[in-house]
Amino acid sequence: MLRSVKLLKINSLKSIDLSRFKRYTFAITIKGENMQGDFILDNEIEEEDYICYHPTEDKEVFGNLLDKDEYEIYVSKEYNLNEISSKLTEYMNWFSLCKDEVIEYLKNNSGEEQPEEWFSTIEVYNIEIIFNSPDDFSAIVTLGKSTDENCIIEVDFEKFQITDSSLNN
């Protein structure tokens, strides 16, 4: 299905009423000082209090290259990307580097013994980053094993700390 795409180059989302463009997806170049790349505004995901964005390029999470469509960034409608750009960039970089920390957490909290190679072959399926404000952010990462479709793990983060994980069989 072919979707209409409008390309906009703007410095602030606050100056544009996006509600009149409901049927479009936007490629937006954000001019934040420390922003890592461009983001696409996803109007197909409707959230009452958040705006959803995707990076325009695939991004690394736990050492896995994740498709840009599976990398979701939700920002409270009270803020725009410029206001969270520094913390978002830091958070995205951290997720690309924290694989060892996640593996250690899963080893210690999985509830059952797994062979060492099990952890080295984990694949990331999705990440949802949620910014309520520049200082209040969290994420949920969904991962698993391509060899075991019944093994899907969700790992919850509050800022830079793992807070929980659950196995969804």
Side-chain angles (χ1 to χ4, degrees):
M1 177 169 111
L2 185 61
R3 287 190 271 170
S4 298
V5 176
K6 290 216 181 236
L7 298 177
L8 299 176
K9 198 168 217 177
I10 58 178
N11 291 329
S12 173
L13 293 177
K14 285 186 175 179
S15 63
I16 294 179
D17 177 15
L18 298 175
S19 63
R20 62 190 172 119
F21 300 107
K22 286 279 187 206
R23 65 177 215 230
Y24 297 104
T25 298
F26 295 90
I28 297 175
T29 301
I30 301 297
K31 294 290 187 186
E33 290 179 22
N34 299 314
M35 186 54 75
Q36 175 179 315
D38 297 340
F39 293 85
I40 296 172
L41 174 63
D42 189 336
N43 277 349
E44 291 184 5
I45 297 179
E46 302 236 359
E47 291 287 334
E48 186 174 323
D49 298 324
Y50 297 90
I51 297 173
C52 181
Y53 301 91
H54 299 277
T56 57
E57 299 175 355
D58 297 346
K59 296 292 180 188
E60 195 170 319
V61 178
F62 306 158
N64 292 264
L65 195 58
L66 185 62
D67 184 278
K68 63 184 180 260
D69 293 331
E70 300 302 325
Y71 203 115
E72 299 171 352
I73 302 164
Y74 294 89
V75 179
S76 168
K77 289 183 178 178
E78 295 178 20
Y79 298 90
N80 66 48
L81 281 175
N82 282 326
E83 293 171 299
I84 64 156
S85 66
S86 177
K87 196 55 82 171
L88 176 59
T89 298
E90 181 183 359
Y91 209 36
M92 291 173 73
N93 287 336
W94 182 76
F95 277 110
S96 71
L97 302 171
C98 69
K99 180 178 183 175
D100 292 339
E101 186 175 330
V102 172
I103 288 173
E104 190 63 31
Y105 177 87
L106 293 173
K107 284 180 183 178
N108 294 331
N109 296 287
S110 67
E112 57 185 74
E113 191 84 17
Q114 297 289 346
E116 189 66 33
E117 65 273 0
W118 188 93
F119 296 100
S120 64
T121 57
I122 289 175
E123 296 179 20
V124 177
Y125 301 136
N126 178 273
I127 186 170
E128 292 180 10
I129 295 175
I130 301 112
F131 268 86
N132 296 309
S133 74
D135 297 317
D136 180 11
F137 52 94
S138 59
I140 300 170
V141 179
T142 306
L143 47 95
K145 310 272 294 168
S146 63
T147 57
D148 185 359
E149 294 176 6
N150 294 322
C151 178
I152 297 177
I153 302 168
E154 286 188 351
V155 182
D156 299 335
F157 296 83
E158 284 293 327
K159 298 185 180 178
F160 298 95
Q161 296 292 316
I162 300 172
T163 58
D164 195 18
S165 64
S166 59
L167 178 62
N168 301 321
N169 288 3

